[in-house]
Amino acid sequence: MSDDAVKQAQEAAAVAAEAAKQLQAQAQAAIKAAEEAAALAKAAAEQAAGEQAADVPAAAAADAGLDTPQTATRRAEAKKAAPATSDGPLDTEHIDAIRAGYAFEGPALEMGALVNGEAMPDVPVRIPIAMTNRHGLVAGATGTGKTRTLQVLAEQLSTAGVAVFAADIKGDLSGVATPGESSEKLLKRTDGIGQQWTPATFPTEFFSLGGVGRGVPIRATISGFGPLLLSKVLGLNDTQESSLGLVFHYANTNNLALLDLEDLRAVLAYLVSDEGKGELEGLGGLSKATVGVILRELITFADQGADVFFGEPEIDTAEFLRTAPDGRGIISLLEVPGVADKPALYSTFLMWLLADLFTDLPEVGDLDKPKLVFFFDEAHLLFKDASKDFLAQITQTVRLIRSKGVGVFFVTQTPKDVPGDVLAQLGSRVQHQLRAFTPDDAKALRATVSTYPKSGYDLEETLTVLGTGEAIVTVMNEKGAPSPVAWTRLRAPQASMSPSPDASIDASVAASPLLAKYGTGLDRESAHEILTKKLADAAAKVDAEAAAAAKADADAEYAKMQAKIQADAAKADKKAQAEYDRLMKQTSSSSRSRARKSPEKSALEEVLGSRTTQTILKQVITGIFGMAKRK
């Protein structure tokens, strides 16, 4: 078969599959319409009991889904008799099951009221406080009310004496420190779900990453951050991550404190230098190329402003478990609008905080209420491009941290943003509206529906028609079983739904007792200073050895030159002496000849024979031959 024929066959199969899918959808819609018609017919039949048989055609019309004056009248009467079931997807049996499913004995967080056409204030939807350490998920498209849901949960947890930690990316959550403002629209909504709304404020502590933005600075040391989290935020591959782990091992073994990025850069540079490359013999060593990649990523990381996030004093995560003097839990808000363009850094820092809590807190088992509930906003950033080791660490932390008295709520757009192993551990689910504008959206919608227990809803349709501030809720009940799925109109926050004024936040930060403890950074001796001194000492030693060797060479060369000079001088003296002797011999011979003629010495003989003349002649002869002796 040719490629064109295969392609045509595939296209035909795809068209047929789509047609079958549409037919299936139509069939499901028809079945649903028939079920609704049957329910209406049943209600009408109950109301029409005892009426004349002449009304049977009208009942048949109702069964067929047709509207006649008689069926319209009976439908109105049925609505009066059973207002909870006429406009909504749930019948009385489902409603009773939901009412019973959320009737907890212990303290609970009030989420809102069941919606079945209209809100039903007599059917509250709640989360047992004791189950909030079994973790949860708040999901939904942008603008559907996730932040307000987070605020409602945080306010009620604080009131119950549970500390809360949450990141405030857009600044909206800062309103928990400011009382809310009443309005006719707000009160109409709250009255409709049975909420007795009053304005309130909640004890709030503002934090910032390394002092960027408003809040008490949160810092972490590089050692405390660890190689796994740092590899994730730097985007390293498996080989580079392994190499970074080796660097941390070396630093820890050799008491090189890694406090900031400068320390880490110093250790990396040292281990591939001539002085340090032998330090890792037997441990696999480091590739210069790998170290080069890590150093370049660290430079980029620092350019993004990360330098200020690492250092001392490192925050004690126990600060996030505090309660106010009145017994309410303190809401710790990490104000991060200044780092909103650094999502990997933000999400990884939150994971560090969670991991540090897991390491420091003791085992406490199941408590009546958690010590802390940690809200992980924009959770999809945490899992994006994460390595297997990193995901394994997250999964383990989430699985085990509940026994330390900490609950974790992930806040994101769709459940598929959270890995299955993590999603399986989230006991409470608050799903806001999802949109299905694209094939990917539709796929995400179907995946979300598949994660919910069986219910009386067509969730694939319901999730696309939820209003703002409404959600599909299921939680873990006091026995550890999932509660019935409930379409819920959520409560309104009591604090402001707008950001607190900047001046108010600044005043709160200035009055914080933590500012004196963490406000000013420290710079003690660490790996950078130790290695810099070590390299300087090594360089000084090398310089001293080189200088000594150079001096020895110079001394040897000087001695050699002196010996040559002395040898040349001796040779010159010898030659001069020989010449002098020759001249003297010649002069003496001439003098003897003249002496035979005249016994008296001439004036010339007397001059030549004098000691002074001999000295002068010797100097002249020596100068002629260029061999003056050097003293």
Side-chain angles (χ1 to χ4, degrees):
M1 184 180 293
S2 66
D3 291 343
D4 290 341
V6 171
K7 185 175 180 180
Q8 291 175 0
Q10 289 175 340
E11 291 175 351
V15 171
E18 183 63 28
K21 184 177 179 181
Q22 292 177 358
L23 289 172
Q24 183 180 9
Q26 292 172 2
Q28 289 175 344
I31 292 170
K32 182 178 178 181
E35 290 174 347
E36 291 175 351
L40 290 173
K42 181 179 179 181
E46 290 174 354
Q47 291 295 316
E51 293 186 5
Q52 298 297 322
D55 290 334
V56 171
D63 287 342
L66 302 176
D67 211 4
T68 66
Q70 293 92 339
T71 56
T73 300
R74 288 184 183 134
R75 192 155 35 247
E77 292 173 350
K79 184 174 181 179
K80 292 179 182 178
T85 63
S86 59
D87 289 337
L90 303 180
D91 57 23
T92 303
E93 184 179 351
H94 282 107
I95 293 172
D96 289 342
I98 291 173
R99 181 184 284 109
Y102 290 91
F104 308 122
E105 295 180 2
L109 307 178
E110 300 293 337
M111 293 295 297
L114 178 69
V115 174
N116 195 49
E118 295 294 333
M120 302 180 64
D122 61 323
V123 187
V125 177
R126 313 156 75 214
I127 300 177
I129 291 180
M131 292 294 108
T132 52
N133 74 333
R134 302 297 180 92
H135 314 317
L137 175 73
V138 178
T142 300
T144 57
K146 297 192 300 296
T147 302
R148 300 284 75 86
T149 297
L150 194 162
Q151 185 173 343
V152 166
L153 292 172
E155 290 178 358
Q156 292 191 61
L157 286 165
S158 174
T159 302
V162 178
V164 173
F165 181 93
D168 189 12
I169 292 181
K170 299 183 291 292
D172 295 348
L173 281 175
S174 64
V176 295
T178 303
E181 295 183 2
S182 178
S183 69
E184 182 179 348
K185 181 179 179 181
L186 174 67
L187 294 178
K188 181 179 179 180
R189 176 188 175 87
T190 55
D191 289 345
I193 60 174
Q195 177 185 1
Q196 301 300 312
W197 187 89
T198 55
T201 61
F202 300 86
T204 307
E205 189 80 66
F206 295 95
F207 293 91
S208 64
L209 286 182
V212 177
R214 293 181 170 85
V216 176
I218 292 179
R219 297 183 183 89
T221 64
I222 290 289
S223 294
F225 207 70
L228 196 59
L229 287 174
L230 190 58
S231 295
K232 198 274 179 180
V233 77
L234 295 178
L236 303 183
N237 62 30
D238 292 342
T239 300
Q240 294 154 359
E241 180 180 313
S242 174
S243 297
L244 190 60
L246 181 60
V247 172
F248 273 72
H249 171 78
Y250 169 80
N252 183 58
T253 303
N254 290 273
N255 297 318
L256 297 173
L258 297 177
L259 304 182
D260 52 29
L261 292 178
E262 191 174 42
D263 289 327
L264 181 56
R265 287 193 292 263
V267 176
L268 285 164
Y270 174 72
L271 290 176
V272 292
S273 69
D274 292 338
E275 294 80 5
K277 62 185 178 182
E279 298 278 354
L280 298 179
E281 287 183 2
L283 297 177
L286 285 177
S287 160
K288 280 192 174 183
T290 296
V291 169
V293 171
I294 297 174
L295 285 172
R296 286 194 295 273
E297 293 299 332
L298 287 174
I299 291 171
T300 302
F301 194 36
D303 288 344
Q304 293 175 348
D307 270 334
V308 298
F309 306 142
F310 294 100
E312 289 184 316
E314 185 173 84
I315 192 78
D316 181 355
T317 46
E319 307 288 5
F320 305 133
L321 278 67
R322 296 178 299 136
T323 56
D326 61 4
R328 291 185 297 169
I330 292 178
I331 300 175
S332 298
L333 291 183
L334 178 62
E335 296 293 303
V336 289
V339 294
D341 59 338
K342 306 173 183 64
L345 174 65
Y346 149 74
S347 63
T348 312
F349 239 96
L350 290 190
M351 191 60 214
W352 168 77
L353 290 176
L354 197 60
D356 197 64
L357 284 167
F358 173 72
T359 301
D360 291 349
L361 292 177
E363 293 279 343
V364 294
D366 290 328
L367 302 174
D368 292 337
K369 60 183 180 182
K371 295 180 178 180
L372 171 72
V373 174
F374 192 102
F375 289 93
F376 214 129
D377 201 3
E378 301 294 339
H380 64 282
L381 300 176
L382 177 67
F383 303 108
K384 183 180 180 182
D385 300 326
S387 67
K388 291 182 179 179
D389 288 342
F390 185 72
L391 290 177
Q393 184 182 27
I394 296 173
T395 303
Q396 181 184 30
T397 301
V398 173
R399 180 184 295 117
L400 300 177
I401 202 169
R402 75 171 187 84
S403 63
K404 305 291 186 84
V406 177
V408 183
F409 276 70
F410 293 95
V411 184
T412 188
Q413 295 195 359
T414 72
K416 75 180 184 66
D417 293 334
V418 181
D421 289 344
V422 176
L423 191 63
Q425 300 175 57
L426 309 184
S428 298
R429 302 272 299 280
V430 182
Q431 178 66 63
H432 288 264
Q433 182 193 131
L434 287 176
R435 297 169 184 139
F437 297 151
T438 68
D440 287 343
D441 291 341
K443 185 178 179 180
L445 175 61
R446 288 191 294 272
T448 299
V449 170
S450 68
T451 64
Y452 276 86
K454 185 178 180 181
S455 69
Y457 301 101
D458 178 357
L459 286 179
E460 193 164 338
E461 177 183 350
T462 303
L463 286 173
T464 61
V465 298
L466 294 172
T468 301
E470 294 182 347
I472 294 296
V473 176
T474 179
V475 305
M476 186 174 287
N477 65 25
E478 293 167 315
K479 296 181 180 179
S483 67
V485 176
W487 181 343
T488 306
R489 184 162 297 162
L490 300 167
R491 291 168 64 94
Q494 293 178 267
S496 174
M497 288 184 274
S498 299
S500 291
D502 291 346
S504 175
I505 295 175
D506 291 340
S508 175
V509 174
S512 171
L514 301 181
L515 190 62
K517 188 174 181 181
Y518 299 107
T520 304
L522 303 177
D523 187 17
R524 63 182 174 93
E525 186 180 65
S526 54
H528 175 258
E529 290 79 12
I530 293 171
L531 291 177
T532 298
K533 184 176 183 300
K534 185 175 181 178
L535 289 173
D537 291 345
K541 183 179 179 181
V542 170
D543 289 345
E545 290 174 351
K551 184 177 182 302
D553 290 343
D555 289 345
E557 185 64 23
Y558 177 76
K560 184 178 178 181
M561 290 176 63
Q562 285 293 98
K564 186 176 185 305
I565 290 171
Q566 292 173 2
D568 290 345
K571 185 177 179 181
D573 284 346
K574 185 177 180 181
K575 190 170 183 179
Q577 184 64 42
E579 184 63 20
Y580 170 76
D581 291 344
R582 186 184 68 78
L583 289 174
M584 289 303 298
K585 184 178 179 182
Q586 182 180 359
T587 303
S588 295
S589 177
S590 299
S591 296
R592 282 194 299 269
S593 297
R594 285 192 295 270
R596 284 193 295 266
K597 294 178 182 179
S598 176
E600 294 183 0
K601 293 182 179 179
S602 67
L604 179 60
E605 289 175 335
E606 289 179 357
V607 171
L608 291 174
S610 71
R611 185 176 296 277
T612 301
T613 301
Q614 291 177 10
T615 300
I616 293 172
L617 283 173
K618 194 172 184 178
Q619 290 177 349
V620 170
I621 293 168
T622 301
I624 291 171
F625 288 99
M627 291 185 267
K629 184 175 180 180
R630 300 176 187 174
K631 300 294 185 180

